Amino acid sequence: MKKLIFVAAVIVFYISANAQDTSVVSNETYMSNNDTYTSKRDVSDKKFITSIGIEPSMPIGHFNDYSGFGFGGYLQGEIKAAKSVGITVNAGYIDYFGKTVSGVKYDDFKYWPVLGGLKLYMSKNSYVHAQSGAGFGTNGLGTSFWYGAGVGFNLGRMMDAELKYTGWKQNEVITNNGNGGYTPPTGTPGETPVGIPGYGGHYSTIDLTLAVKF
């Protein structure tokens, strides 16, 4: 938890510093009547864009039973295949804080998602973004297939925000809480499970990302 807060603080500081210093952008130099002048160019016009961002996330549906909030960060690279098309590769880390349910405190759900995606620009300042890939979980969560899509907006030469949906199929995890663990039923008539059940199923979140591009 302390490491996550430290990383988040560093990312927020980096974003704030770059947002205030709008002079750090790509430039183009022109010659006119023997005079040289430089024009600032939007980072979005580059052929390759790198971005680093923070990602607050809200679990919805079934996942909200076990976690109420998540927070993470990511690094993304984007290749502009065409003026209105971008190909992205995104790697990050996110921690969904575990809830206490019926007296049972669930551990945090920690993942390392690695996603590939496609951006379609509707205009210079807006786009839709679809992604899919693998989410590598810790603490026995295993590896799962992640997918999602969202709508993004350029907030200036270097800032970017995206509202998106993310979903994945979490394999069932057996908790060790209560009566020595959970014993699932075997199908015997009249049999009842022992202990507290584990968790798993389809998980969904609504995410808001804020990133600086360079």
Side-chain angles (χ1 to χ4, degrees):
M1 180 64 180
K2 291 181 179 179
K3 291 182 180 179
L4 182 61
I5 294 175
F6 175 75
V7 171
V10 171
I11 293 175
V12 169
F13 176 79
Y14 184 82
I15 290 176
S16 299
N18 280 274
Q20 295 172 13
D21 185 10
T22 57
S23 64
V24 187
V25 296
S26 299
N27 299 314
E28 290 179 339
T29 302
Y30 301 88
M31 296 291 294
S32 178
N33 297 325
N34 296 323
D35 292 327
T36 302
Y37 66 94
T38 301
S39 174
K40 292 178 181 178
R41 182 164 61 91
D42 196 321
V43 172
S44 299
D45 294 329
K46 295 172 60 178
K47 292 296 184 182
F48 183 79
I49 303 168
T50 304
S51 58
I52 183 171
I54 57 175
E55 184 173 343
S57 180
M58 183 67 66
I60 59 175
H62 177 61
F63 191 25
N64 186 250
D65 294 338
Y66 306 111
S67 175
F69 183 72
F71 192 83
Y74 66 90
L75 178 67
Q76 178 173 280
E78 176 183 353
I79 299 174
K80 294 295 286 293
K83 184 177 181 179
S84 60
V85 178
I87 299 172
T88 63
V89 177
N90 183 303
Y93 171 79
I94 191 161
D95 184 348
Y96 292 99
F97 309 115
K99 282 185 174 181
T100 298
V101 182
S102 300
V104 178
K105 175 63 173 70
Y106 285 92
D107 292 336
D108 287 5
F109 299 78
K110 302 177 182 180
Y111 298 94
W112 296 87
V114 178
L115 309 172
L118 182 68
K119 275 187 179 182
L120 298 178
Y121 288 86
M122 299 177 288
S123 69
K124 184 178 180 63
N125 295 318
S126 63
Y127 60 84
V128 292
H129 188 194
Q131 294 176 288
S132 64
F136 302 95
T138 65
N139 299 328
L141 293 173
T143 302
S144 49
F145 174 72
W146 285 42
Y147 63 93
V151 178
F153 302 91
N154 294 323
L155 303 180
R157 291 191 181 94
M158 301 184 66
M159 299 297 296
D160 185 274
E162 183 177 341
L163 180 66
K164 65 179 184 178
Y165 166 87
T166 302
W168 68 96
K169 173 64 170 64
Q170 172 59 55
N171 296 328
E172 186 172 356
V173 176
I174 304 303
T175 179
N176 291 321
N177 295 307
N179 299 328
Y182 175 69
T183 302
T186 61
T188 303
E191 182 184 20
T192 58
V194 177
I196 297 173
Y199 50 85
H202 185 268
Y203 287 176
S204 303
T205 63
I206 297 296
D207 316 311
L208 175 65
T209 67
L210 179 64
V212 60
K213 304 176 294 185
F214 51 93

Coordinates of all heavy atoms in Angstrom, one line a residue, residues 48-134:
F48 N 5.1 8.7 -33.0 CA 5.2 7.8 -31.8 C 5.0 8.6 -30.6 O 5.7 9.6 -30.4 CB 6.5 7.0 -31.8 CG 6.6 6.1 -30.6 CD1 5.9 4.8 -30.7 CD2 7.2 6.4 -29.4 CE1 6.0 3.9 -29.6 CE2 7.2 5.5 -28.4 CZ 6.6 4.3 -28.5
I49 N 4.0 8.2 -29.8 CA 3.6 9.0 -28.6 C 3.8 8.1 -27.4 O 3.3 7.0 -27.3 CB 2.2 9.5 -28.7 CG1 2.0 10.3 -29.9 CG2 1.8 10.3 -27.4 CD1 0.5 10.6 -30.2
T50 N 4.5 8.6 -26.3 CA 4.6 7.9 -25.1 C 3.8 8.6 -24.0 O 3.8 9.9 -24.0 CB 6.1 7.8 -24.6 OG1 6.9 7.2 -25.6 CG2 6.2 7.0 -23.3
S51 N 3.1 7.9 -23.2 CA 2.3 8.6 -22.1 C 2.5 7.8 -20.8 O 2.6 6.6 -20.8 CB 0.9 8.7 -22.5 OG 0.3 7.4 -22.8
I52 N 2.4 8.5 -19.7 CA 2.4 7.9 -18.4 C 1.3 8.5 -17.6 O 1.0 9.7 -17.7 CB 3.8 8.2 -17.7 CG1 3.8 7.5 -16.3 CG2 4.1 9.7 -17.5 CD1 5.2 7.5 -15.7
G53 N 0.5 7.7 -16.9 CA -0.7 8.2 -16.3 C -1.1 7.5 -15.0 O -0.5 6.5 -14.6
I54 N -2.1 8.0 -14.4 CA -2.7 7.4 -13.2 C -4.1 7.0 -13.6 O -4.7 7.5 -14.5 CB -2.8 8.4 -12.0 CG1 -3.5 9.7 -12.5 CG2 -1.4 8.8 -11.6 CD1 -3.7 10.7 -11.3
E55 N -4.6 6.0 -12.8 CA -5.9 5.4 -13.2 C -6.7 5.0 -11.9 O -6.6 3.9 -11.4 CB -5.7 4.1 -14.0 CG -6.9 3.5 -14.5 CD -6.6 2.3 -15.5 OE1 -5.5 2.2 -16.0 OE2 -7.5 1.5 -15.7
P56 N -7.6 5.9 -11.5 CA -8.6 5.6 -10.5 C -9.6 4.7 -11.1 O -10.0 4.9 -12.3 CB -9.1 6.9 -10.0 CG -8.8 7.9 -11.1 CD -7.6 7.4 -11.8
S57 N -10.1 3.7 -10.4 CA -11.1 2.7 -11.0 C -12.2 2.4 -10.0 O -11.9 2.2 -8.8 CB -10.3 1.5 -11.4 OG -11.1 0.5 -12.0
M58 N -13.4 2.2 -10.5 CA -14.5 1.9 -9.7 C -15.1 0.5 -10.1 O -15.7 0.4 -11.2 CB -15.6 2.9 -9.8 CG -16.8 2.7 -9.0 SD -16.4 2.9 -7.2 CE -16.0 4.7 -7.1
P59 N -14.9 -0.5 -9.2 CA -15.6 -1.8 -9.5 C -17.1 -1.7 -9.6 O -17.7 -1.0 -8.8 CB -15.1 -2.7 -8.4 CG -13.9 -2.0 -7.9 CD -14.1 -0.6 -8.0
I60 N -17.7 -2.4 -10.5 CA -19.1 -2.4 -10.7 C -19.6 -3.9 -10.8 O -18.8 -4.8 -10.9 CB -19.6 -1.7 -11.9 CG1 -19.0 -2.2 -13.2 CG2 -19.2 -0.2 -11.8 CD1 -19.5 -1.6 -14.5
G61 N -20.9 -4.1 -10.7 CA -21.5 -5.4 -10.8 C -20.9 -6.4 -9.7 O -20.8 -6.0 -8.5
H62 N -20.7 -7.6 -10.1 CA -20.2 -8.6 -9.1 C -19.0 -8.2 -8.4 O -18.8 -8.5 -7.2 CB -20.0 -9.9 -9.9 CG -19.5 -11.1 -9.1 ND1 -20.2 -11.6 -8.0 CD2 -18.4 -11.8 -9.2 CE1 -19.5 -12.6 -7.4 NE2 -18.4 -12.7 -8.1
F63 N -18.0 -7.6 -9.1 CA -16.7 -7.2 -8.5 C -16.9 -6.3 -7.3 O -16.1 -6.2 -6.4 CB -15.8 -6.7 -9.5 CG -14.4 -6.5 -9.1 CD1 -13.8 -7.3 -8.1 CD2 -13.6 -5.6 -9.7 CE1 -12.5 -7.1 -7.7 CE2 -12.2 -5.4 -9.3 CZ -11.7 -6.2 -8.3
N64 N -18.0 -5.4 -7.3 CA -18.2 -4.5 -6.3 C -18.5 -5.1 -4.9 O -18.5 -4.5 -3.9 CB -19.3 -3.5 -6.7 CG -19.6 -2.4 -5.7 OD1 -20.6 -2.4 -5.0 ND2 -18.6 -1.5 -5.6
D65 N -18.9 -6.4 -5.0 CA -19.1 -7.2 -3.7 C -17.8 -7.3 -2.9 O -17.9 -7.5 -1.7 CB -19.7 -8.5 -4.0 CG -21.1 -8.5 -4.6 OD1 -21.8 -7.5 -4.5 OD2 -21.5 -9.5 -5.3
Y66 N -16.7 -7.3 -3.6 CA -15.4 -7.6 -2.9 C -14.5 -6.4 -2.9 O -13.5 -6.3 -2.1 CB -14.7 -8.7 -3.7 CG -15.5 -9.9 -3.8 CD1 -16.0 -10.4 -5.1 CD2 -15.9 -10.7 -2.7 CE1 -16.8 -11.5 -5.2 CE2 -16.7 -11.8 -2.8 CZ -17.2 -12.2 -4.1 OH -18.0 -13.3 -4.2
S67 N -14.7 -5.4 -3.8 CA -13.8 -4.2 -3.8 C -14.7 -3.0 -4.2 O -15.5 -3.1 -5.0 CB -12.7 -4.4 -4.8 OG -11.9 -3.2 -4.9
G68 N -14.4 -1.8 -3.5 CA -15.1 -0.6 -3.8 C -14.3 0.4 -4.6 O -14.9 1.4 -5.1
F69 N -13.0 0.2 -4.6 CA -12.2 1.2 -5.3 C -10.8 0.6 -5.7 O -10.3 -0.2 -5.0 CB -12.0 2.5 -4.4 CG -11.2 3.6 -5.0 CD1 -11.8 4.4 -6.0 CD2 -9.9 3.8 -4.6 CE1 -11.1 5.4 -6.6 CE2 -9.2 4.9 -5.2 CZ -9.8 5.7 -6.2
G70 N -10.3 1.1 -6.8 CA -8.9 0.7 -7.2 C -8.1 1.9 -7.7 O -8.7 2.9 -8.1
F71 N -6.8 1.8 -7.6 CA -6.0 2.8 -8.1 C -4.7 2.2 -8.7 O -4.1 1.3 -8.1 CB -5.6 3.8 -6.9 CG -5.0 5.1 -7.4 CD1 -5.7 6.1 -7.8 CD2 -3.6 5.2 -7.4 CE1 -5.1 7.3 -8.3 CE2 -3.0 6.4 -7.8 CZ -3.8 7.4 -8.2
G72 N -4.2 2.8 -9.8 CA -3.0 2.3 -10.4 C -2.3 3.3 -11.3 O -2.7 4.5 -11.4
G73 N -1.3 2.9 -12.0 CA -0.6 3.7 -13.0 C -0.2 2.9 -14.2 O -0.2 1.6 -14.1
Y74 N 0.2 3.5 -15.3 CA 0.6 2.8 -16.5 C 1.5 3.6 -17.3 O 1.6 4.8 -17.2 CB -0.7 2.4 -17.3 CG -1.4 3.6 -17.9 CD1 -1.1 4.1 -19.1 CD2 -2.4 4.3 -17.1 CE1 -1.7 5.2 -19.7 CE2 -3.1 5.4 -17.7 CZ -2.7 5.8 -18.9 OH -3.4 6.9 -19.4
L75 N 2.2 2.9 -18.2 CA 3.0 3.5 -19.3 C 2.5 2.9 -20.6 O 2.3 1.7 -20.8 CB 4.5 3.0 -19.1 CG 5.5 3.5 -20.1 CD1 5.6 5.1 -20.1 CD2 6.8 2.9 -19.9
Q76 N 2.3 3.9 -21.6 CA 1.7 3.5 -22.9 C 2.5 4.0 -24.0 O 3.0 5.2 -24.0 CB 0.3 4.0 -23.0 CG -0.4 3.7 -24.3 CD -1.9 4.0 -24.3 OE1 -2.7 3.3 -23.7 NE2 -2.2 5.2 -24.8
G77 N 2.7 3.2 -25.0 CA 3.3 3.7 -26.3 C 2.2 3.6 -27.4 O 1.4 2.7 -27.4
E78 N 2.3 4.6 -28.3 CA 1.3 4.6 -29.4 C 2.0 4.9 -30.7 O 2.7 5.9 -30.8 CB 0.2 5.7 -29.1 CG -0.8 5.8 -30.3 CD -1.8 6.9 -30.1 OE1 -1.8 7.5 -29.0 OE2 -2.6 7.2 -31.0
I79 N 1.8 4.1 -31.7 CA 2.3 4.3 -33.1 C 1.1 4.9 -33.9 O 0.1 4.2 -34.0 CB 2.8 3.0 -33.7 CG1 4.0 2.5 -32.8 CG2 3.3 3.3 -35.1 CD1 4.5 1.1 -33.3
K80 N 1.3 6.0 -34.5 CA 0.3 6.6 -35.4 C 0.4 5.9 -36.8 O 1.3 6.3 -37.6 CB 0.4 8.1 -35.5 CG 0.2 8.8 -34.2 CD -1.3 8.7 -33.8 CE -2.2 9.6 -34.6 NZ -2.0 11.0 -34.4
A81 N -0.4 4.9 -37.0 CA -0.4 4.2 -38.3 C -0.9 5.1 -39.4 O -0.6 4.9 -40.6 CB -1.2 2.9 -38.2
A82 N -1.8 6.0 -39.0 CA -2.4 6.9 -40.0 C -2.8 8.2 -39.2 O -2.8 8.1 -37.9 CB -3.6 6.3 -40.7
K83 N -3.3 9.2 -39.9 CA -3.6 10.4 -39.2 C -4.7 10.2 -38.1 O -4.8 10.8 -37.1 CB -4.1 11.5 -40.2 CG -4.4 12.8 -39.5 CD -4.8 13.8 -40.6 CE -5.1 15.2 -39.9 NZ -5.4 16.2 -40.9
S84 N -5.7 9.3 -38.4 CA -6.8 9.0 -37.5 C -6.7 7.6 -36.9 O -7.7 7.2 -36.3 CB -8.1 9.2 -38.3 OG -8.2 8.2 -39.4
V85 N -5.6 6.9 -37.0 CA -5.5 5.6 -36.4 C -4.2 5.5 -35.6 O -3.1 5.8 -36.1 CB -5.5 4.5 -37.5 CG1 -5.3 3.1 -36.9 CG2 -6.8 4.6 -38.3
G86 N -4.3 5.0 -34.4 CA -3.2 4.7 -33.5 C -3.2 3.3 -33.0 O -4.2 2.7 -32.7
I87 N -2.0 2.7 -32.9 CA -1.9 1.3 -32.3 C -1.1 1.5 -31.0 O -0.1 2.1 -30.9 CB -1.1 0.4 -33.3 CG1 -1.8 0.3 -34.6 CG2 -0.8 -1.0 -32.6 CD1 -1.0 -0.5 -35.7
T88 N -1.7 1.0 -29.9 CA -1.2 1.2 -28.6 C -0.7 -0.1 -27.9 O -1.3 -1.2 -28.2 CB -2.3 1.8 -27.7 OG1 -3.4 0.9 -27.5 CG2 -2.7 3.1 -28.3
V89 N 0.3 0.0 -27.1 CA 0.7 -1.0 -26.2 C 0.8 -0.4 -24.8 O 1.4 0.6 -24.6 CB 2.1 -1.6 -26.6 CG1 2.5 -2.7 -25.6 CG2 2.0 -2.2 -28.0
N90 N 0.1 -1.0 -23.8 CA -0.1 -0.5 -22.5 C 0.3 -1.5 -21.4 O -0.1 -2.6 -21.4 CB -1.5 0.0 -22.3 CG -1.8 0.7 -21.0 OD1 -1.6 0.1 -20.0 ND2 -2.3 1.9 -21.1
A91 N 1.2 -1.1 -20.5 CA 1.5 -1.9 -19.3 C 1.4 -1.1 -18.1 O 1.8 0.0 -18.0 CB 3.0 -2.4 -19.5
G92 N 0.8 -1.7 -17.0 CA 0.6 -1.0 -15.8 C 0.4 -1.9 -14.6 O 0.6 -3.1 -14.7
Y93 N 0.1 -1.3 -13.5 CA -0.2 -2.0 -12.2 C -1.4 -1.3 -11.6 O -1.5 -0.1 -11.6 CB 1.0 -1.8 -11.3 CG 0.7 -2.4 -9.9 CD1 0.8 -3.7 -9.6 CD2 0.5 -1.5 -8.9 CE1 0.5 -4.2 -8.3 CE2 0.2 -1.9 -7.6 CZ 0.3 -3.3 -7.3 OH 0.0 -3.7 -6.1
I94 N -2.3 -2.1 -11.0 CA -3.5 -1.6 -10.3 C -3.8 -2.4 -9.1 O -3.7 -3.7 -9.2 CB -4.7 -1.4 -11.3 CG1 -5.8 -0.6 -10.7 CG2 -5.2 -2.8 -11.8 CD1 -6.8 -0.1 -11.7
D95 N -4.2 -1.7 -8.1 CA -4.6 -2.4 -6.8 C -6.0 -2.1 -6.5 O -6.4 -0.9 -6.3 CB -3.6 -1.9 -5.7 CG -3.9 -2.6 -4.4 OD1 -4.9 -3.3 -4.2 OD2 -3.0 -2.4 -3.5
Y96 N -6.9 -3.1 -6.4 CA -8.3 -2.9 -6.0 C -8.3 -3.3 -4.5 O -8.1 -4.5 -4.2 CB -9.2 -3.8 -6.8 CG -9.3 -3.4 -8.3 CD1 -8.5 -4.1 -9.3 CD2 -10.1 -2.3 -8.7 CE1 -8.6 -3.6 -10.6 CE2 -10.1 -1.9 -10.0 CZ -9.4 -2.6 -10.9 OH -9.5 -2.2 -12.2
F97 N -8.7 -2.4 -3.7 CA -8.7 -2.6 -2.3 C -9.8 -3.5 -1.8 O -11.0 -3.3 -2.2 CB -8.8 -1.2 -1.6 CG -7.8 -0.2 -2.1 CD1 -8.1 0.9 -2.7 CD2 -6.4 -0.5 -2.0 CE1 -7.2 1.8 -3.2 CE2 -5.4 0.4 -2.5 CZ -5.9 1.6 -3.1
G98 N -9.5 -4.5 -1.1 CA -10.5 -5.5 -0.6 C -11.4 -5.0 0.4 O -11.1 -4.2 1.3
K99 N -12.7 -5.4 0.3 CA -13.7 -5.1 1.3 C -13.8 -6.1 2.4 O -13.2 -7.2 2.3 CB -15.1 -5.0 0.6 CG -15.4 -3.8 -0.2 CD -16.9 -3.9 -0.8 CE -17.3 -2.7 -1.5 NZ -18.7 -2.7 -1.9
T100 N -14.5 -5.7 3.5 CA -14.8 -6.6 4.5 C -16.3 -7.0 4.3 O -17.2 -6.1 4.3 CB -14.7 -6.0 5.9 OG1 -13.3 -5.6 6.1 CG2 -15.1 -6.9 7.0
V101 N -16.5 -8.3 4.1 CA -17.9 -8.8 3.8 C -18.3 -9.8 4.8 O -17.6 -10.8 5.0 CB -18.0 -9.4 2.4 CG1 -19.4 -9.9 2.1 CG2 -17.5 -8.4 1.4
S102 N -19.4 -9.6 5.6 CA -19.8 -10.5 6.6 C -18.7 -10.9 7.6 O -18.6 -12.0 8.0 CB -20.4 -11.8 6.0 OG -21.5 -11.4 5.1
G103 N -18.0 -9.9 8.0 CA -16.9 -10.1 8.9 C -15.6 -10.6 8.3 O -14.6 -10.8 9.1
V104 N -15.6 -10.9 7.0 CA -14.4 -11.4 6.4 C -13.7 -10.3 5.6 O -14.3 -9.6 4.7 CB -14.8 -12.5 5.4 CG1 -13.5 -13.1 4.7 CG2 -15.5 -13.7 6.2
K105 N -12.4 -10.1 5.8 CA -11.6 -9.1 5.1 C -11.0 -9.7 3.9 O -10.1 -10.6 4.1 CB -10.6 -8.4 6.0 CG -9.7 -7.4 5.3 CD -10.4 -6.2 4.8 CE -9.5 -5.2 4.2 NZ -8.8 -5.6 3.0
Y106 N -11.4 -9.3 2.7 CA -10.8 -9.9 1.5 C -9.5 -9.1 1.2 O -9.4 -7.9 1.4 CB -11.7 -9.8 0.3 CG -12.8 -10.8 0.4 CD1 -14.1 -10.5 1.0 CD2 -12.7 -12.1 -0.1 CE1 -15.1 -11.4 1.0 CE2 -13.7 -13.0 -0.1 CZ -14.9 -12.7 0.5 OH -15.9 -13.6 0.6
D107 N -8.5 -9.9 0.8 CA -7.2 -9.3 0.4 C -7.4 -8.4 -0.8 O -8.4 -8.5 -1.6 CB -6.2 -10.4 0.0 CG -5.7 -11.2 1.2 OD1 -5.9 -10.7 2.4 OD2 -5.3 -12.3 1.0
D108 N -6.4 -7.4 -1.0 CA -6.5 -6.6 -2.2 C -6.3 -7.4 -3.5 O -5.6 -8.5 -3.5 CB -5.3 -5.6 -2.2 CG -5.6 -4.5 -1.1 OD1 -6.6 -4.6 -0.4 OD2 -4.8 -3.5 -1.1
F109 N -6.9 -7.0 -4.5 CA -6.8 -7.6 -5.8 C -5.8 -6.8 -6.6 O -6.1 -5.7 -7.1 CB -8.2 -7.6 -6.5 CG -9.3 -8.3 -5.8 CD1 -9.9 -7.7 -4.7 CD2 -9.7 -9.6 -6.2 CE1 -10.9 -8.4 -4.0 CE2 -10.7 -10.3 -5.5 CZ -11.3 -9.7 -4.4
K110 N -4.6 -7.4 -6.8 CA -3.5 -6.7 -7.5 C -3.2 -7.3 -8.8 O -3.0 -8.6 -8.9 CB -2.3 -6.7 -6.6 CG -2.5 -6.1 -5.2 CD -1.3 -6.2 -4.3 CE -1.6 -5.6 -2.9 NZ -0.4 -5.7 -2.0
Y111 N -3.2 -6.5 -9.9 CA -2.9 -7.0 -11.2 C -1.9 -6.2 -11.9 O -1.7 -5.0 -11.7 CB -4.2 -6.9 -12.0 CG -5.4 -7.8 -11.5 CD1 -6.3 -7.2 -10.7 CD2 -5.5 -9.1 -11.9 CE1 -7.4 -7.9 -10.2 CE2 -6.6 -9.8 -11.5 CZ -7.5 -9.3 -10.6 OH -8.6 -10.0 -10.2
W112 N -1.2 -6.8 -12.9 CA -0.3 -6.2 -13.8 C -0.9 -6.4 -15.2 O -0.5 -7.4 -15.9 CB 1.1 -6.8 -13.7 CG 1.8 -6.6 -12.4 CD1 1.7 -7.4 -11.3 CD2 2.7 -5.6 -12.1 NE1 2.5 -6.9 -10.3 CE2 3.1 -5.8 -10.7 CE3 3.2 -4.5 -12.8 CZ2 4.0 -5.0 -10.1 CZ3 4.1 -3.6 -12.1 CH2 4.5 -3.9 -10.8
P113 N -1.7 -5.5 -15.7 CA -2.3 -5.7 -17.1 C -1.3 -5.3 -18.2 O -0.6 -4.3 -18.0 CB -3.5 -4.7 -17.1 CG -3.6 -4.2 -15.7 CD -2.3 -4.4 -15.0
V114 N -1.2 -6.1 -19.2 CA -0.5 -5.8 -20.4 C -1.4 -5.9 -21.6 O -1.9 -7.0 -21.9 CB 0.7 -6.7 -20.6 CG1 1.5 -6.4 -21.9 CG2 1.7 -6.7 -19.4
L115 N -1.7 -4.7 -22.2 CA -2.8 -4.7 -23.2 C -2.3 -4.1 -24.5 O -1.5 -3.1 -24.6 CB -3.9 -3.8 -22.7 CG -4.5 -4.2 -21.3 CD1 -5.5 -3.1 -20.8 CD2 -5.1 -5.5 -21.3
G116 N -2.9 -4.6 -25.6 CA -2.7 -4.0 -26.9 C -4.0 -3.3 -27.3 O -5.1 -3.8 -26.9
G117 N -3.9 -2.3 -28.1 CA -5.2 -1.6 -28.5 C -5.1 -0.8 -29.8 O -4.1 -0.8 -30.5
L118 N -6.3 -0.3 -30.1 CA -6.5 0.4 -31.4 C -7.2 1.7 -31.1 O -8.3 1.7 -30.4 CB -7.3 -0.4 -32.4 CG -7.5 0.2 -33.8 CD1 -6.2 0.4 -34.5 CD2 -8.5 -0.6 -34.6
K119 N -6.7 2.8 -31.5 CA -7.3 4.1 -31.3 C -7.9 4.6 -32.7 O -7.1 4.6 -33.7 CB -6.4 5.2 -30.8 CG -6.2 5.2 -29.3 CD -5.3 6.4 -28.9 CE -5.2 6.5 -27.4 NZ -4.4 7.7 -27.0
L120 N -9.1 5.1 -32.7 CA -9.7 5.7 -33.8 C -10.0 7.2 -33.5 O -10.9 7.4 -32.6 CB -10.9 5.0 -34.3 CG -10.7 3.5 -34.7 CD1 -12.0 2.9 -35.1 CD2 -9.7 3.4 -35.9
Y121 N -9.4 8.1 -34.1 CA -9.6 9.5 -33.8 C -10.8 10.0 -34.5 O -10.9 10.0 -35.8 CB -8.4 10.3 -34.1 CG -7.2 10.1 -33.2 CD1 -6.3 9.0 -33.4 CD2 -7.0 10.9 -32.1 CE1 -5.3 8.8 -32.5 CE2 -6.0 10.7 -31.2 CZ -5.1 9.6 -31.4 OH -4.1 9.4 -30.6
M122 N -11.8 10.5 -33.8 CA -13.0 11.1 -34.4 C -12.7 12.6 -34.8 O -13.4 13.1 -35.7 CB -14.1 11.0 -33.4 CG -14.5 9.6 -33.0 SD -15.8 9.5 -31.8 CE -14.9 10.1 -30.3
S123 N -11.8 13.2 -34.1 CA -11.3 14.5 -34.4 C -9.9 14.7 -33.8 O -9.4 13.7 -33.2 CB -12.3 15.6 -33.8 OG -12.2 15.6 -32.4
K124 N -9.3 15.8 -33.9 CA -8.0 16.0 -33.4 C -8.0 15.8 -31.8 O -7.0 15.4 -31.3 CB -7.5 17.4 -33.7 CG -6.0 17.7 -33.3 CD -5.6 19.0 -33.7 CE -4.1 19.3 -33.3 NZ -3.2 18.4 -33.9
N125 N -9.1 16.2 -31.2 CA -9.1 16.2 -29.7 C -10.0 15.1 -29.1 O -10.2 15.1 -27.9 CB -9.6 17.5 -29.2 CG -8.7 18.7 -29.6 OD1 -7.4 18.5 -29.5 ND2 -9.2 19.8 -30.1
S126 N -10.5 14.1 -29.9 CA -11.3 13.1 -29.3 C -11.1 11.8 -30.1 O -10.7 11.8 -31.2 CB -12.8 13.4 -29.3 OG -13.2 13.6 -30.6
Y127 N -11.3 10.6 -29.4 CA -11.0 9.3 -30.0 C -11.8 8.3 -29.2 O -12.2 8.5 -28.1 CB -9.5 9.0 -30.0 CG -8.9 9.0 -28.6 CD1 -9.0 7.8 -27.8 CD2 -8.2 10.1 -28.1 CE1 -8.4 7.8 -26.5 CE2 -7.7 10.1 -26.8 CZ -7.8 8.9 -26.0 OH -7.2 8.9 -24.8
V128 N -11.9 7.1 -29.8 CA -12.4 5.9 -29.2 C -11.2 4.9 -29.1 O -10.4 4.9 -30.0 CB -13.6 5.2 -29.9 CG1 -14.8 6.1 -29.8 CG2 -13.3 4.9 -31.3
H129 N -11.1 4.1 -28.1 CA -10.0 3.3 -27.8 C -10.4 1.9 -27.3 O -11.1 1.8 -26.3 CB -9.1 4.0 -26.8 CG -7.8 3.3 -26.6 ND1 -6.9 3.6 -25.5 CD2 -7.1 2.4 -27.3 CE1 -5.8 2.9 -25.6 NE2 -5.9 2.2 -26.6
A130 N -10.1 0.9 -28.1 CA -10.4 -0.5 -27.7 C -9.1 -1.2 -27.3 O -8.1 -1.1 -28.0 CB -11.2 -1.2 -28.8
Q131 N -9.1 -2.1 -26.3 CA -7.9 -2.8 -25.8 C -8.3 -4.2 -25.4 O -9.4 -4.5 -25.0 CB -7.3 -2.1 -24.6 CG -6.8 -0.7 -24.9 CD -6.2 0.0 -23.6 OE1 -7.0 0.4 -22.8 NE2 -4.9 0.1 -23.5
S132 N -7.3 -5.1 -25.5 CA -7.4 -6.4 -24.9 C -6.0 -6.9 -24.6 O -5.0 -6.5 -25.2 CB -8.1 -7.3 -25.9 OG -7.4 -7.5 -27.1
G133 N -6.0 -7.9 -23.7 CA -4.7 -8.5 -23.4 C -4.8 -9.4 -22.2 O -5.8 -9.9 -21.9
A134 N -3.7 -9.5 -21.4 CA -3.6 -10.3 -20.2 C -3.4 -9.5 -19.0 O -2.7 -8.5 -19.0 CB -2.4 -11.3 -20.4

